[in-house]
Amino acid sequence: MTNEKNIEELPPKTCTIERLVTKEDDVQKVIDGKKTATRRNGRYADVGEIMELQGHSFVVEKVYSQALGELTDDHAKQEGFQSVEEYKQTILSYHPGMPWLPHMRVWVHEFRSVNG
């Protein structure tokens, strides 16, 4: 079960929203509407914060903690992948040697285009 919290209960951000989506392929997926969430090991944005990508604006709608073992194929599709396994293999390719630990918690940032 996800651990959604009100913004008042969230810990301080560990990074800035400018670092939330940085990989070129991911930026394009966001712009194309194929990626509506990203998971990071820290909290990079507050609800209501605006992310700018190549002249496009996206508002963060939800920020919450989730264990990797809770991911479903629907979550993977939010990330722009077809399945949890595809998402997992891609993440592990970004971080050689990192294990995939189902109990490890990540921060989910869900967003949508400001322009609809």
Side-chain angles (χ1 to χ4, degrees):
M1 184 166 157
T2 58
N3 184 19
E4 293 191 41
K5 295 183 177 184
N6 294 330
I7 191 167
E8 303 85 39
E9 299 174 20
L10 295 175
K13 293 192 316 184
T14 57
C15 203
T16 62
I17 195 168
E18 291 82 16
R19 303 288 307 150
L20 185 60
V21 179
T22 58
K23 294 204 174 290
E24 192 173 318
D25 289 348
D26 287 342
V27 169
Q28 194 58 53
K29 284 181 184 180
V30 172
I31 292 169
D32 293 343
K34 296 176 182 173
K35 180 176 176 66
T36 60
T38 197
R39 285 156 176 79
R40 303 290 264 178
N41 66 349
R43 201 169 73 77
Y44 285 47
D46 291 319
V47 172
E49 202 167 349
I50 303 294
M51 172 174 63
E52 298 287 340
L53 298 173
Q54 298 179 2
H56 300 269
S57 300
F58 301 86
V59 63
V60 175
E61 294 193 311
K62 291 184 183 178
V63 178
Y64 56 94
S65 176
Q66 180 182 56
L68 290 176
E70 297 172 344
L71 265 72
T72 66
D73 285 345
D74 285 339
H75 293 129
K77 287 176 182 165
Q78 285 181 311
E79 291 273 1
F81 296 93
Q82 292 302 308
S83 67
V84 171
E85 187 60 27
E86 182 185 5
Y87 172 74
K88 173 183 171 182
Q89 293 308 317
T90 300
I91 294 302
L92 293 176
S93 76
Y94 296 158
H95 306 284
M98 181 184 88
W100 184 268
L101 304 172
H103 66 276
M104 182 178 158
R105 297 199 72 82
V106 294
W107 284 98
V108 182
H109 304 76
E110 295 183 11
F111 42 83
R112 67 167 175 79
S113 174
V114 170
N115 302 326

